Amino acid sequence: MTAEIRFFWARLNANYWFYPALFAILATFLAIVMLYLDRAGFAAFLSEREIIVPVRPTGATNTLTVMASALIGVASTVFSITLVAVTYASGNYGPRLLTNFLEDKGNQISLATFIGSFVYAIIVLRAVRSEDETTMLDGTQTALPGFAPQLSLLVAYVLMALCVAVLVFFLHHVPSSIRINMVLKRIGARLVDLVRETYPIEDEFHDAVEPVAGQVLTAWDTGYVQMIDFEDLVEIADDCGCTFSLCVRTGDFIHRDLPLMEIKGCAPETVEERVRECFNLGSLRTPEQDPEFLIDELVEIGLRALSPGINDPFTAITALHWLGAATSEIARRDLRKRICEDDAEDCPVIPRFDGFAHFLDRGFASMRSAVAASGNATMVMLDVIANAAAPVKDEDRRGKLLEQGRLLVEQAREALVGPDLDRVEKRYRVFEERFEN
């Protein structure tokens, strides 16, 4: 599969409309099947059950009409509440979080359940026939027997009960989902999972493979690199007997004539058309293949929280905790991406070099100046860095984490005075002792 197809599928089921559309289609098929069973006489056993009272056509019409009207009204309310939550989140936490809220499966499934049940009720309603309806047969007006789909009505009652349960869930889920702690938890947990998936080998401390110089293949279009099909790139490189050293990573912004990759072993024009199909470009960054995107989200929330206009250091502290957990995962892993099944050193496709220092600069270093202006946040960040280093056995990476703490305190000395600075200095001495032990 090309990068375009894989990215299309990844983004398709993340769209807010995907599950409502899917449930509407499934509800259409369910209604058709239930009506067929009713017309074929499979609902006759229901009349033998004393607990079930057969529904007359008038009652069926009224029930389905009320059900359809209520469901479309509730669906509109669900959509409106979701938009309010998205607007609130984007205004307070940053526009990058719009993707997270629109991808929220709880919101998508809730709306989809109401839309699917509404479609089911409308289709079944069309099949109900009252006792006084007539039709023209051979020029004569003939009365038709009434038809109330008993089995279809029973399924409609089940769907209505399901919708009530989903509504209760949704009313709990929305306020819970916009709490900042839950927002940070979702981002942080997703980042940790993506790090483990991208770098699966633990307790090996190799940095990314160094690039190999070659002829430059330039970009052909403008946009963010949203997905790279590494498997197809490996196949192309093996077919041509050459080595690709990528100059971009997923999430980078490129435009025409910027270096895309360096090719050693063959002319760029011989593989240019096939290679370009392996890169999907778009107007927005997405979390797929891009742990830096999730790191940036944590950093953005932390910086906004520490800004003078908001001044919420405790939100920044929570962001630091999750950033520390992700940094610790990165610090204890082999940072050579496993694109090939064989050894990473022999793989003909070399991703852009992302060493451990790159992730530290993207995370802790990006927040340093704002954190240093808050005594509480500075002390927490020192603890977070020390905790991130605790399980790491590689001295070089521990040294890089120690350097982040030193730089933080150096900047805090410029921003803090008096008792706040004294507290930070005491915590820094404890911080250094933890690295010595």
Side-chain angles (χ1 to χ4, degrees):
M1 295 173 65
T2 64
E4 287 83 359
I5 297 175
R6 296 176 63 180
F7 181 78
F8 172 77
W9 173 247
R11 301 313 303 163
L12 180 63
N13 58 25
N15 282 320
Y16 193 64
W17 54 263
F18 176 72
Y19 281 101
L22 178 63
F23 277 39
I25 295 172
L26 294 177
T28 300
F29 281 106
L30 177 63
I32 293 173
V33 170
M34 289 299 103
L35 289 172
Y36 170 78
L37 294 177
D38 272 308
R39 293 184 183 280
F42 284 92
F45 74 95
L46 293 176
S47 56
E48 301 173 2
R49 303 290 187 272
E50 294 183 0
I51 194 173
I52 299 177
V53 179
V55 180
R56 305 300 299 169
T58 302
T61 301
N62 293 337
T63 299
L64 291 171
T65 301
V66 171
M67 179 179 173
S69 301
L71 288 175
I72 198 62
V74 173
S76 301
T77 303
V78 167
F79 182 72
S80 301
I81 293 175
T82 303
L83 285 182
V84 171
V86 167
T87 303
Y88 170 81
S90 63
N92 286 272
Y93 310 142
R96 288 180 182 85
L97 294 179
L98 286 174
T99 302
N100 300 56
F101 282 91
L102 292 177
E103 289 182 0
D104 188 283
K105 291 297 183 288
N107 296 336
Q108 292 179 351
I109 297 298
S110 297
L111 179 61
T113 302
F114 297 122
I115 293 295
S117 300
F118 167 77
V119 171
Y120 178 88
I122 288 296
I123 294 176
V124 174
L125 179 62
R126 181 183 180 277
V128 178
R129 187 169 59 243
S130 61
E131 289 119 341
D132 57 353
E133 289 189 17
T134 59
T135 187
M136 295 296 295
L137 292 177
D138 298 329
T140 305
Q141 197 167 17
T142 305
L144 295 175
F147 175 68
Q150 304 294 329
L151 192 58
S152 301
L153 261 294
L154 186 60
V155 173
Y157 277 111
V158 173
L159 290 177
M160 188 164 54
L162 177 62
C163 288
V164 172
V166 169
L167 180 60
V168 173
F169 160 78
F170 179 77
L171 294 177
H172 166 77
H173 176 74
V174 170
S176 174
S177 65
I178 62 176
R179 289 171 53 197
I180 187 60
N181 287 346
M182 291 300 298
V183 172
L184 289 168
K185 175 183 178 297
R186 285 201 303 270
I187 298 172
R190 186 173 185 178
L191 173 57
V192 171
D193 290 341
L194 185 56
V195 168
R196 291 171 178 170
E197 178 185 344
T198 306
Y199 308 108
I201 299 178
E202 193 171 353
D203 292 329
E204 292 188 18
F205 304 101
H206 301 283
D207 258 347
V209 179
E210 295 283 353
V212 176
Q215 295 178 272
V216 175
L217 174 64
T218 59
W220 70 100
D221 205 350
T222 301
Y224 288 99
V225 180
Q226 294 178 321
M227 183 171 283
I228 302 174
D229 194 334
F230 289 106
E231 294 177 1
D232 281 4
L233 283 176
V234 171
E235 183 179 342
I236 296 170
D238 285 335
D239 290 344
C240 302
C242 53
T243 301
F244 298 156
S245 296
L246 273 63
C247 301
V248 299
R249 67 176 69 87
T250 309
D252 285 351
F253 185 84
I254 61 174
H255 55 77
R256 286 182 55 196
D257 298 330
L258 279 183
L260 186 69
M261 65 170 61
E262 294 189 45
I263 302 176
K264 180 181 179 181
C266 63
E269 55 269 17
T270 61
V271 296
E272 180 176 358
E273 184 176 349
R274 295 177 64 189
V275 163
R276 288 178 174 174
E277 292 180 354
C278 299
F279 291 82
N280 188 79
L281 304 182
S283 59
L284 298 172
R285 291 176 62 191
T286 63
E288 278 76 26
Q289 289 188 348
D290 188 4
E292 287 90 349
F293 176 79
L294 298 171
I295 292 174
D296 291 346
E297 285 190 327
L298 291 176
V299 170
E300 180 180 13
I301 292 175
L303 292 177
R304 280 174 172 263
L306 291 170
S307 65
I310 297 179
N311 192 23
D312 181 11
F314 294 102
T315 292
I317 287 170
T318 305
L320 283 170
H321 286 154
W322 282 105
L323 186 60
T327 302
S328 183
E329 288 290 338
I330 296 170
R332 69 180 83 178
R333 294 180 179 275
D334 184 348
L335 297 182
R336 298 174 298 179
K337 290 184 178 179
R338 294 288 162 172
I339 298 173
C340 302
E341 295 181 0
D342 53 359
D343 188 75
E345 298 289 346
D346 299 326
C347 187
V349 176
I350 303 174
R352 180 171 175 176
F353 182 83
D354 287 335
F356 182 57
H358 161 76
F359 292 102
L360 289 179
D361 289 341
R362 200 79 181 232
F364 289 136
S366 298
M367 292 186 66
R368 185 189 305 132
S369 60
V371 170
S374 169
N376 287 337
T378 299
M379 290 191 294
V380 168
M381 184 167 172
L382 288 172
D383 289 340
V384 165
I385 294 174
N387 291 337
V392 179
K393 303 174 184 177
D394 183 70
E395 291 302 320
D396 179 65
R397 294 186 180 179
R398 286 176 61 86
K400 287 182 170 64
L401 287 165
L402 177 61
E403 177 68 9
Q404 288 294 321
R406 186 190 67 79
L407 293 173
L408 173 64
V409 172
E410 185 178 315
Q411 191 150 3
R413 289 169 182 154
E414 300 290 332
L416 300 176
V417 294
D420 284 345
L421 182 57
D422 292 340
R423 293 168 62 212
V424 169
E425 294 287 2
K426 291 178 182 178
R427 186 64 60 88
Y428 181 56
R429 287 193 288 271
V430 175
F431 171 83
E432 288 183 311
E433 291 174 0
R434 293 183 64 178
F435 276 85
E436 293 171 359
N437 296 334

